[in-house]
mmCIF file of all heavy atoms in Angstrom:
data_model
loop_
_atom_site.group_PDB
_atom_site.id
_atom_site.type_symbol
_atom_site.label_atom_id
_atom_site.label_comp_id
_atom_site.label_asym_id
_atom_site.label_seq_id
_atom_site.Cartn_x
_atom_site.Cartn_y
_atom_site.Cartn_z
ATOM 1 N N ALA A 40 90.008 117.010 103.966
ATOM 2 C CA ALA A 40 89.730 116.030 102.917
ATOM 3 C C ALA A 40 88.386 115.348 103.100
ATOM 4 O O ALA A 40 88.056 114.814 104.192
ATOM 5 C CB ALA A 40 90.847 114.993 102.836
ATOM 6 N N SER A 41 87.571 115.390 102.069
ATOM 7 C CA SER A 41 86.247 114.712 101.999
ATOM 8 C C SER A 41 85.762 114.696 100.597
ATOM 9 O O SER A 41 86.126 115.529 99.779
ATOM 10 C CB SER A 41 85.240 115.441 102.909
ATOM 11 O OG SER A 41 84.000 114.845 102.878
ATOM 12 N N LEU A 42 84.971 113.659 100.270
ATOM 13 C CA LEU A 42 84.320 113.582 98.953
ATOM 14 C C LEU A 42 82.814 113.500 99.147
ATOM 15 O O LEU A 42 82.317 113.142 100.189
ATOM 16 C CB LEU A 42 84.760 112.300 98.210
ATOM 17 C CG LEU A 42 86.199 112.071 97.845
ATOM 18 C CD1 LEU A 42 86.327 110.805 97.047
ATOM 19 C CD2 LEU A 42 86.782 113.241 97.073
ATOM 20 N N ALA A 43 82.093 113.879 98.096
ATOM 21 C CA ALA A 43 80.662 113.573 98.007
ATOM 22 C C ALA A 43 80.518 112.749 96.721
ATOM 23 O O ALA A 43 81.069 113.065 95.687
ATOM 24 C CB ALA A 43 79.843 114.843 97.945
ATOM 25 N N ILE A 44 79.705 111.649 96.800
ATOM 26 C CA ILE A 44 79.499 110.799 95.669
ATOM 27 C C ILE A 44 78.016 110.589 95.402
ATOM 28 O O ILE A 44 77.170 110.621 96.331
ATOM 29 C CB ILE A 44 80.187 109.439 95.853
ATOM 30 C CG1 ILE A 44 79.644 108.727 97.082
ATOM 31 C CG2 ILE A 44 81.698 109.578 95.948
ATOM 32 C CD1 ILE A 44 80.085 107.265 97.233
ATOM 33 N N SER A 45 77.629 110.405 94.129
ATOM 34 C CA SER A 45 76.256 110.175 93.766
ATOM 35 C C SER A 45 76.181 109.368 92.475
ATOM 36 O O SER A 45 77.005 109.502 91.568
ATOM 37 C CB SER A 45 75.531 111.533 93.563
ATOM 38 O OG SER A 45 74.215 111.292 93.150
ATOM 39 N N ALA A 46 75.157 108.518 92.405
ATOM 40 C CA ALA A 46 74.940 107.738 91.173
ATOM 41 C C ALA A 46 73.810 108.376 90.345
ATOM 42 O O ALA A 46 73.659 108.046 89.158
ATOM 43 C CB ALA A 46 74.589 106.287 91.481
ATOM 44 N N ASP A 47 72.986 109.250 90.957
ATOM 45 C CA ASP A 47 71.879 109.808 90.244
ATOM 46 C C ASP A 47 71.873 111.329 90.189
ATOM 47 O O ASP A 47 71.018 111.971 89.584
ATOM 48 C CB ASP A 47 70.528 109.321 90.799
ATOM 49 C CG ASP A 47 70.320 109.733 92.273
ATOM 50 O OD1 ASP A 47 71.105 110.553 92.795
ATOM 51 O OD2 ASP A 47 69.369 109.181 92.910
ATOM 52 N N GLY A 48 72.821 111.976 90.895
ATOM 53 C CA GLY A 48 72.885 113.424 90.932
ATOM 54 C C GLY A 48 71.907 114.062 91.842
ATOM 55 O O GLY A 48 71.890 115.280 92.048
ATOM 56 N N ASN A 49 71.040 113.323 92.449
ATOM 57 C CA ASN A 49 70.037 113.845 93.396
ATOM 58 C C ASN A 49 70.261 113.428 94.860
ATOM 59 O O ASN A 49 69.937 114.168 95.748
ATOM 60 C CB ASN A 49 68.620 113.376 92.976
ATOM 61 C CG ASN A 49 68.228 113.892 91.634
ATOM 62 O OD1 ASN A 49 68.366 115.080 91.360
ATOM 63 N ND2 ASN A 49 67.694 112.994 90.777
ATOM 64 N N HIS A 50 70.822 112.264 95.033
ATOM 65 C CA HIS A 50 71.100 111.777 96.350
ATOM 66 C C HIS A 50 72.622 111.588 96.525
ATOM 67 O O HIS A 50 73.242 110.940 95.690
ATOM 68 C CB HIS A 50 70.400 110.418 96.630
ATOM 69 C CG HIS A 50 68.917 110.504 96.427
ATOM 70 N ND1 HIS A 50 68.301 110.269 95.232
ATOM 71 C CD2 HIS A 50 67.931 110.822 97.312
ATOM 72 C CE1 HIS A 50 66.981 110.376 95.377
ATOM 73 N NE2 HIS A 50 66.716 110.721 96.612
ATOM 74 N N TRP A 51 73.176 112.168 97.569
ATOM 75 C CA TRP A 51 74.634 112.208 97.735
ATOM 76 C C TRP A 51 75.036 111.537 99.035
ATOM 77 O O TRP A 51 74.337 111.652 100.070
ATOM 78 C CB TRP A 51 75.139 113.628 97.700
ATOM 79 C CG TRP A 51 74.981 114.286 96.359
ATOM 80 C CD1 TRP A 51 73.830 114.839 95.847
ATOM 81 C CD2 TRP A 51 75.997 114.387 95.324
ATOM 82 N NE1 TRP A 51 74.092 115.331 94.557
ATOM 83 C CE2 TRP A 51 75.401 115.048 94.219
ATOM 84 C CE3 TRP A 51 77.304 114.002 95.255
ATOM 85 C CZ2 TRP A 51 76.106 115.329 93.073
ATOM 86 C CZ3 TRP A 51 78.052 114.294 94.100
ATOM 87 C CH2 TRP A 51 77.430 114.927 93.014
ATOM 88 N N PHE A 52 76.201 110.915 99.005
ATOM 89 C CA PHE A 52 76.806 110.298 100.199
ATOM 90 C C PHE A 52 78.188 110.993 100.388
ATOM 91 O O PHE A 52 78.926 111.146 99.441
ATOM 92 C CB PHE A 52 76.982 108.807 100.006
ATOM 93 C CG PHE A 52 75.683 108.064 99.864
ATOM 94 C CD1 PHE A 52 75.082 107.908 98.613
ATOM 95 C CD2 PHE A 52 75.043 107.561 100.976
ATOM 96 C CE1 PHE A 52 73.882 107.247 98.480
ATOM 97 C CE2 PHE A 52 73.845 106.871 100.853
ATOM 98 C CZ PHE A 52 73.245 106.726 99.618
ATOM 99 N N LEU A 53 78.418 111.350 101.650
ATOM 100 C CA LEU A 53 79.728 111.937 101.972
ATOM 101 C C LEU A 53 80.685 110.834 102.368
ATOM 102 O O LEU A 53 80.322 109.878 103.080
ATOM 103 C CB LEU A 53 79.567 112.923 103.121
ATOM 104 C CG LEU A 53 78.522 114.059 103.030
ATOM 105 C CD1 LEU A 53 78.598 114.953 104.243
ATOM 106 C CD2 LEU A 53 78.742 114.833 101.709
ATOM 107 N N ILE A 54 81.928 110.998 101.974
ATOM 108 C CA ILE A 54 82.984 110.167 102.475
ATOM 109 C C ILE A 54 83.797 110.972 103.471
ATOM 110 O O ILE A 54 84.573 111.856 103.150
ATOM 111 C CB ILE A 54 83.952 109.668 101.332
ATOM 112 C CG1 ILE A 54 83.148 109.074 100.177
ATOM 113 C CG2 ILE A 54 84.961 108.667 101.870
ATOM 114 C CD1 ILE A 54 82.284 107.905 100.529
#
Side-chain angles (χ1 to χ4, degrees):
S41 179
L42 299 183
I44 59 170
S45 176
D47 63 10
N49 296 314
H50 303 90
W51 293 81
F52 297 87
L53 306 182
I54 309 300

